[in-house]
Amino acid sequence: DVKVTQSSRYLVKRTGEKVFLECVQDMDHENMFWYRQDPGLGLRLIYFSYDVKMKEKGDIPEGYSVSREKKERFSLILESASTNQTSMYLCASSSRGGGHPYGYTFGSGTRLTVV
Amino acid sequence: EDQVTQSPEALRLQEGESSSLNCSYTVSGLRGLFWYRQDPGKGPEFLFTLYSAGEEKEKERLKATLTKKESFLHITAPKPEDSATYLCAVQALNNAGNMLTFGGGTRLMVKP
């Protein structure tokens, strides 16, 4: 089975810290995505990547950046964490075509609290 | 712009009380409609993919159906372990990144 692994389940960081959230997938998927999920707001796309070193802004990229140096790894960076970035962060990956029917496989999520 | 609306936002059922969750969508050519289950504090897990109107998929007590405008997730004789948030998403044909557009989800609570 496809596995998407997020490095931390829970994180507590201080305001102003630089925060790295790591995501690794083991099925050679081309596409990777970062979402945040908040009560009442659903899933909101932060950034996505079609390939190594490629990145595209999603709906809410402000305050975030990403890095994809290797195909299997997609990192989300909070440049200077703020309390309004307290949220559940979900990483997902998908194949460009064929195989699993184009849907996402999600990681287990990282619950980030900024204090 | 692709849009997905799920209703109701929350649904409380007694164990054994069958019901349906609705997912209405607008998309510029449907490649696929997806249902996911999400337990509290966890990532969504894939349930079904539907590709064309009239298609049905079943898994245990769940059955997903698809029309040209909406999808239903029917839950027959639910059990407390079916309690979760159910997410619906669509993927458009002209979608370079295979990106999904998600609905807001339906939170299902099944009481014993």
Short mmCIF file of all heavy atoms in Angstrom, two decimals, chain A residues 18-24 30 32-34 46-56 64-79 91:
data_model
loop_
_atom_site.label_atom_id
_atom_site.label_comp_id
_atom_site.label_asym_id
_atom_site.label_seq_id
_atom_site.Cartn_x
_atom_site.Cartn_y
_atom_site.Cartn_z
N LYS A 18 10.85 29.41 13.19
CA LYS A 18 10.78 28.82 11.86
C LYS A 18 10.46 27.33 12.05
O LYS A 18 11.14 26.65 12.80
CB LYS A 18 12.09 29.00 11.11
CG LYS A 18 12.03 28.64 9.63
CD LYS A 18 13.28 29.11 8.90
CE LYS A 18 13.16 28.91 7.40
NZ LYS A 18 14.33 29.43 6.65
N VAL A 19 9.41 26.87 11.39
CA VAL A 19 8.91 25.51 11.61
C VAL A 19 8.99 24.72 10.31
O VAL A 19 8.61 25.23 9.24
CB VAL A 19 7.46 25.55 12.11
CG1 VAL A 19 6.95 24.12 12.36
CG2 VAL A 19 7.34 26.39 13.38
N PHE A 20 9.46 23.50 10.43
CA PHE A 20 9.56 22.61 9.27
C PHE A 20 8.63 21.41 9.49
O PHE A 20 8.74 20.70 10.50
CB PHE A 20 10.99 22.10 9.08
CG PHE A 20 11.97 23.15 8.70
CD1 PHE A 20 12.58 23.94 9.66
CD2 PHE A 20 12.28 23.38 7.37
CE1 PHE A 20 13.50 24.92 9.31
CE2 PHE A 20 13.20 24.36 7.01
CZ PHE A 20 13.80 25.13 7.98
N LEU A 21 7.74 21.17 8.54
CA LEU A 21 6.90 19.97 8.55
C LEU A 21 7.32 19.11 7.37
O LEU A 21 7.36 19.58 6.23
CB LEU A 21 5.41 20.33 8.43
CG LEU A 21 4.85 21.28 9.50
CD1 LEU A 21 3.35 21.48 9.28
CD2 LEU A 21 5.10 20.76 10.89
N GLU A 22 7.65 17.85 7.69
CA GLU A 22 8.19 16.96 6.66
C GLU A 22 7.17 15.91 6.26
O GLU A 22 6.41 15.40 7.09
CB GLU A 22 9.44 16.27 7.19
CG GLU A 22 10.52 17.19 7.72
CD GLU A 22 11.23 17.93 6.61
OE1 GLU A 22 11.11 17.52 5.43
OE2 GLU A 22 11.89 18.94 6.90
N CYS A 23 7.20 15.57 4.98
CA CYS A 23 6.29 14.57 4.44
C CYS A 23 7.08 13.70 3.46
O CYS A 23 7.75 14.23 2.56
CB CYS A 23 5.12 15.24 3.74
SG CYS A 23 3.99 14.09 2.92
N VAL A 24 6.96 12.38 3.62
CA VAL A 24 7.66 11.45 2.73
C VAL A 24 6.67 10.42 2.23
O VAL A 24 5.89 9.86 3.02
CB VAL A 24 8.82 10.75 3.48
CG1 VAL A 24 9.49 9.73 2.57
CG2 VAL A 24 9.82 11.76 3.99
N GLU A 30 4.25 11.52 -8.39
CA GLU A 30 4.76 12.79 -8.90
C GLU A 30 4.20 13.98 -8.12
O GLU A 30 4.89 14.97 -7.91
CB GLU A 30 4.39 12.94 -10.39
CG GLU A 30 5.06 11.94 -11.32
CD GLU A 30 4.33 10.61 -11.40
OE1 GLU A 30 3.25 10.48 -10.78
OE2 GLU A 30 4.83 9.70 -12.07
N MET A 32 2.47 16.07 -5.01
CA MET A 32 2.36 16.13 -3.55
C MET A 32 1.71 17.45 -3.16
O MET A 32 1.85 18.46 -3.86
CB MET A 32 3.74 15.97 -2.89
CG MET A 32 4.35 14.60 -3.15
SD MET A 32 5.85 14.27 -2.21
CE MET A 32 5.17 13.94 -0.57
N PHE A 33 1.00 17.42 -2.05
CA PHE A 33 0.15 18.53 -1.64
C PHE A 33 0.27 18.78 -0.14
O PHE A 33 0.44 17.84 0.63
CB PHE A 33 -1.33 18.21 -1.93
CG PHE A 33 -1.61 17.77 -3.35
CD1 PHE A 33 -1.44 16.44 -3.72
CD2 PHE A 33 -2.04 18.67 -4.30
CE1 PHE A 33 -1.71 16.02 -5.02
CE2 PHE A 33 -2.32 18.26 -5.60
CZ PHE A 33 -2.14 16.94 -5.95
N TRP A 34 0.13 20.04 0.24
CA TRP A 34 -0.01 20.41 1.65
C TRP A 34 -1.33 21.15 1.84
O TRP A 34 -1.62 22.13 1.12
CB TRP A 34 1.13 21.31 2.13
CG TRP A 34 2.34 20.56 2.57
CD1 TRP A 34 3.53 20.44 1.93
CD2 TRP A 34 2.49 19.83 3.78
NE1 TRP A 34 4.40 19.68 2.66
CE2 TRP A 34 3.79 19.29 3.80
CE3 TRP A 34 1.65 19.57 4.88
CZ2 TRP A 34 4.28 18.52 4.85
CZ3 TRP A 34 2.13 18.80 5.93
CH2 TRP A 34 3.43 18.28 5.91
N ILE A 46 -2.52 24.73 0.56
CA ILE A 46 -1.47 25.71 0.81
C ILE A 46 -0.51 25.78 -0.38
O ILE A 46 -0.31 26.83 -0.97
CB ILE A 46 -0.69 25.36 2.09
CG1 ILE A 46 -1.63 25.21 3.29
CG2 ILE A 46 0.37 26.43 2.39
CD1 ILE A 46 -0.96 24.65 4.54
N TYR A 47 0.09 24.66 -0.70
CA TYR A 47 1.01 24.53 -1.83
C TYR A 47 0.90 23.12 -2.41
O TYR A 47 0.50 22.20 -1.71
CB TYR A 47 2.47 24.74 -1.38
CG TYR A 47 3.00 26.14 -1.47
CD1 TYR A 47 2.97 26.97 -0.35
CD2 TYR A 47 3.54 26.63 -2.64
CE1 TYR A 47 3.47 28.25 -0.41
CE2 TYR A 47 4.05 27.92 -2.71
CZ TYR A 47 4.02 28.73 -1.58
OH TYR A 47 4.52 30.01 -1.64
N PHE A 48 1.30 22.99 -3.67
CA PHE A 48 1.42 21.67 -4.24
C PHE A 48 2.62 21.63 -5.19
O PHE A 48 3.17 22.68 -5.55
CB PHE A 48 0.14 21.23 -4.94
CG PHE A 48 -0.34 22.12 -6.04
CD1 PHE A 48 -0.11 21.80 -7.36
CD2 PHE A 48 -1.07 23.27 -5.75
CE1 PHE A 48 -0.57 22.62 -8.38
CE2 PHE A 48 -1.54 24.10 -6.76
CZ PHE A 48 -1.29 23.78 -8.08
N SER A 49 2.98 20.42 -5.56
CA SER A 49 4.17 20.22 -6.39
C SER A 49 3.91 19.11 -7.39
O SER A 49 3.43 18.03 -7.02
CB SER A 49 5.37 19.87 -5.51
OG SER A 49 6.47 19.45 -6.30
N TYR A 50 4.24 19.37 -8.66
CA TYR A 50 4.06 18.37 -9.71
C TYR A 50 5.29 17.49 -9.88
O TYR A 50 5.21 16.41 -10.47
CB TYR A 50 3.80 19.03 -11.07
CG TYR A 50 2.54 19.82 -11.16
CD1 TYR A 50 2.53 21.08 -11.75
CD2 TYR A 50 1.33 19.33 -10.67
CE1 TYR A 50 1.37 21.82 -11.86
CE2 TYR A 50 0.17 20.06 -10.77
CZ TYR A 50 0.20 21.31 -11.36
OH TYR A 50 -0.95 22.04 -11.47
N ASP A 51 6.42 18.00 -9.43
CA ASP A 51 7.66 17.26 -9.68
C ASP A 51 8.75 17.86 -8.82
O ASP A 51 8.58 18.92 -8.20
CB ASP A 51 8.01 17.34 -11.17
CG ASP A 51 8.85 16.17 -11.64
OD1 ASP A 51 9.45 15.47 -10.78
OD2 ASP A 51 8.92 15.93 -12.86
N VAL A 52 9.90 17.23 -8.86
CA VAL A 52 11.03 17.72 -8.08
C VAL A 52 11.33 19.17 -8.47
O VAL A 52 11.33 19.51 -9.65
CB VAL A 52 12.26 16.83 -8.32
CG1 VAL A 52 13.48 17.37 -7.59
CG2 VAL A 52 11.98 15.41 -7.88
N LYS A 53 11.55 19.98 -7.46
CA LYS A 53 11.89 21.40 -7.59
C LYS A 53 10.76 22.23 -8.18
O LYS A 53 10.94 23.42 -8.44
CB LYS A 53 13.17 21.58 -8.41
CG LYS A 53 14.40 20.95 -7.75
CD LYS A 53 15.68 21.39 -8.39
CE LYS A 53 16.88 20.68 -7.80
NZ LYS A 53 17.08 21.01 -6.38
N MET A 54 9.61 21.63 -8.42
CA MET A 54 8.46 22.38 -8.90
C MET A 54 7.53 22.67 -7.73
O MET A 54 7.32 21.80 -6.87
CB MET A 54 7.70 21.59 -9.96
CG MET A 54 8.53 21.19 -11.15
SD MET A 54 9.01 22.60 -12.14
CE MET A 54 7.44 23.04 -12.86
N LYS A 55 6.94 23.86 -7.71
CA LYS A 55 5.97 24.20 -6.68
C LYS A 55 4.99 25.21 -7.23
O LYS A 55 5.34 26.05 -8.06
CB LYS A 55 6.67 24.75 -5.43
CG LYS A 55 7.50 26.00 -5.68
CD LYS A 55 8.23 26.42 -4.41
CE LYS A 55 9.08 27.66 -4.68
NZ LYS A 55 9.85 28.06 -3.47
N GLU A 56 3.76 25.09 -6.74
CA GLU A 56 2.70 26.00 -7.14
C GLU A 56 1.94 26.44 -5.90
O GLU A 56 1.70 25.63 -4.99
CB GLU A 56 1.72 25.30 -8.10
CG GLU A 56 2.32 24.84 -9.41
CD GLU A 56 2.57 25.97 -10.38
OE1 GLU A 56 1.98 27.05 -10.17
OE2 GLU A 56 3.35 25.78 -11.33
N TYR A 64 3.76 30.78 4.30
CA TYR A 64 4.31 29.44 4.11
C TYR A 64 5.25 29.42 2.91
O TYR A 64 5.13 30.22 1.99
CB TYR A 64 3.19 28.42 3.85
CG TYR A 64 2.14 28.33 4.91
CD1 TYR A 64 0.96 29.07 4.81
CD2 TYR A 64 2.30 27.50 6.01
CE1 TYR A 64 -0.02 28.98 5.77
CE2 TYR A 64 1.32 27.40 6.98
CZ TYR A 64 0.17 28.14 6.86
OH TYR A 64 -0.81 28.06 7.82
N SER A 65 6.17 28.48 2.92
CA SER A 65 6.94 28.13 1.73
C SER A 65 7.12 26.61 1.71
O SER A 65 6.77 25.94 2.68
CB SER A 65 8.30 28.85 1.70
OG SER A 65 9.09 28.43 2.81
N VAL A 66 7.61 26.09 0.59
CA VAL A 66 7.77 24.65 0.47
C VAL A 66 9.10 24.35 -0.20
O VAL A 66 9.71 25.21 -0.83
CB VAL A 66 6.64 23.99 -0.34
CG1 VAL A 66 5.32 24.00 0.42
CG2 VAL A 66 6.50 24.63 -1.71
N SER A 67 9.50 23.09 -0.07
CA SER A 67 10.72 22.62 -0.69
C SER A 67 10.51 21.20 -1.16
O SER A 67 9.99 20.36 -0.41
CB SER A 67 11.89 22.68 0.30
OG SER A 67 13.04 22.06 -0.23
N ARG A 68 10.93 20.94 -2.40
CA ARG A 68 10.89 19.57 -2.91
C ARG A 68 12.18 19.30 -3.67
O ARG A 68 12.26 19.46 -4.87
CB ARG A 68 9.68 19.33 -3.80
CG ARG A 68 9.46 17.83 -4.03
CD ARG A 68 8.12 17.53 -4.55
NE ARG A 68 7.93 16.11 -4.76
CZ ARG A 68 7.04 15.61 -5.59
NH1 ARG A 68 6.24 16.41 -6.29
NH2 ARG A 68 6.92 14.30 -5.72
N GLU A 69 13.17 18.85 -2.93
CA GLU A 69 14.49 18.57 -3.48
C GLU A 69 14.59 17.14 -3.99
O GLU A 69 15.40 16.84 -4.88
CB GLU A 69 15.56 18.83 -2.43
CG GLU A 69 15.66 20.29 -2.00
CD GLU A 69 16.08 21.19 -3.15
OE1 GLU A 69 16.98 20.81 -3.93
OE2 GLU A 69 15.48 22.28 -3.30
N LYS A 70 13.77 16.26 -3.42
CA LYS A 70 13.72 14.87 -3.86
C LYS A 70 12.26 14.49 -4.13
O LYS A 70 11.35 15.03 -3.50
CB LYS A 70 14.31 13.93 -2.81
CG LYS A 70 15.80 14.12 -2.59
CD LYS A 70 16.33 13.09 -1.61
CE LYS A 70 17.83 13.23 -1.43
NZ LYS A 70 18.38 12.22 -0.49
N LYS A 71 12.06 13.55 -5.03
CA LYS A 71 10.70 13.21 -5.44
C LYS A 71 9.85 12.74 -4.28
O LYS A 71 8.64 13.01 -4.22
CB LYS A 71 10.76 12.11 -6.52
CG LYS A 71 9.44 11.86 -7.21
CD LYS A 71 9.62 10.86 -8.34
CE LYS A 71 8.32 10.69 -9.12
NZ LYS A 71 8.50 9.73 -10.23
N GLU A 72 10.42 12.02 -3.33
CA GLU A 72 9.64 11.42 -2.27
C GLU A 72 9.37 12.35 -1.10
O GLU A 72 8.57 12.02 -0.23
CB GLU A 72 10.35 10.16 -1.75
CG GLU A 72 11.67 10.41 -1.04
CD GLU A 72 12.86 10.40 -1.98
OE1 GLU A 72 12.66 10.55 -3.21
OE2 GLU A 72 13.99 10.22 -1.46
N ARG A 73 9.98 13.51 -1.07
CA ARG A 73 9.91 14.37 0.12
C ARG A 73 9.39 15.76 -0.24
O ARG A 73 9.90 16.40 -1.16
CB ARG A 73 11.29 14.48 0.77
CG ARG A 73 11.31 15.23 2.09
CD ARG A 73 12.74 15.29 2.63
NE ARG A 73 13.23 13.94 2.95
CZ ARG A 73 13.10 13.35 4.12
NH1 ARG A 73 12.49 13.99 5.11
NH2 ARG A 73 13.59 12.15 4.31
N PHE A 74 8.41 16.22 0.54
CA PHE A 74 7.82 17.54 0.33
C PHE A 74 7.72 18.21 1.69
O PHE A 74 7.02 17.72 2.58
CB PHE A 74 6.45 17.38 -0.33
CG PHE A 74 5.84 18.65 -0.87
CD1 PHE A 74 6.62 19.64 -1.43
CD2 PHE A 74 4.46 18.82 -0.86
CE1 PHE A 74 6.05 20.79 -1.97
CE2 PHE A 74 3.87 19.97 -1.40
CZ PHE A 74 4.67 20.94 -1.96
N SER A 75 8.43 19.30 1.86
CA SER A 75 8.50 19.97 3.14
C SER A 75 7.72 21.26 3.13
O SER A 75 7.77 22.02 2.15
CB SER A 75 9.97 20.27 3.50
OG SER A 75 10.74 19.09 3.51
N LEU A 76 7.01 21.51 4.20
CA LEU A 76 6.28 22.77 4.40
C LEU A 76 7.02 23.57 5.45
O LEU A 76 7.37 23.04 6.51
CB LEU A 76 4.85 22.49 4.86
CG LEU A 76 3.98 23.72 5.10
CD1 LEU A 76 3.65 24.42 3.77
CD2 LEU A 76 2.68 23.33 5.81
N ILE A 77 7.25 24.84 5.15
CA ILE A 77 8.03 25.70 6.05
C ILE A 77 7.17 26.88 6.46
O ILE A 77 6.60 27.58 5.60
CB ILE A 77 9.31 26.19 5.34
CG1 ILE A 77 10.13 24.99 4.86
CG2 ILE A 77 10.14 27.07 6.28
CD1 ILE A 77 11.04 25.29 3.71
N LEU A 78 7.07 27.09 7.76
CA LEU A 78 6.44 28.28 8.30
C LEU A 78 7.58 29.23 8.64
O LEU A 78 8.36 28.97 9.56
CB LEU A 78 5.62 27.96 9.54
CG LEU A 78 4.27 27.26 9.34
CD1 LEU A 78 4.41 25.86 8.77
CD2 LEU A 78 3.48 27.24 10.64
N GLU A 79 7.71 30.29 7.88
CA GLU A 79 8.88 31.16 7.98
C GLU A 79 8.98 31.81 9.35
O GLU A 79 10.05 31.92 9.92
CB GLU A 79 8.83 32.22 6.89
CG GLU A 79 8.86 31.65 5.47
CD GLU A 79 10.22 31.04 5.12
OE1 GLU A 79 11.21 31.31 5.83
OE2 GLU A 79 10.29 30.26 4.16
N CYS A 91 -0.58 16.27 4.63
CA CYS A 91 0.17 16.07 3.40
C CYS A 91 -0.53 14.97 2.59
O CYS A 91 -1.10 14.03 3.17
CB CYS A 91 1.59 15.65 3.72
SG CYS A 91 2.61 15.23 2.30
#
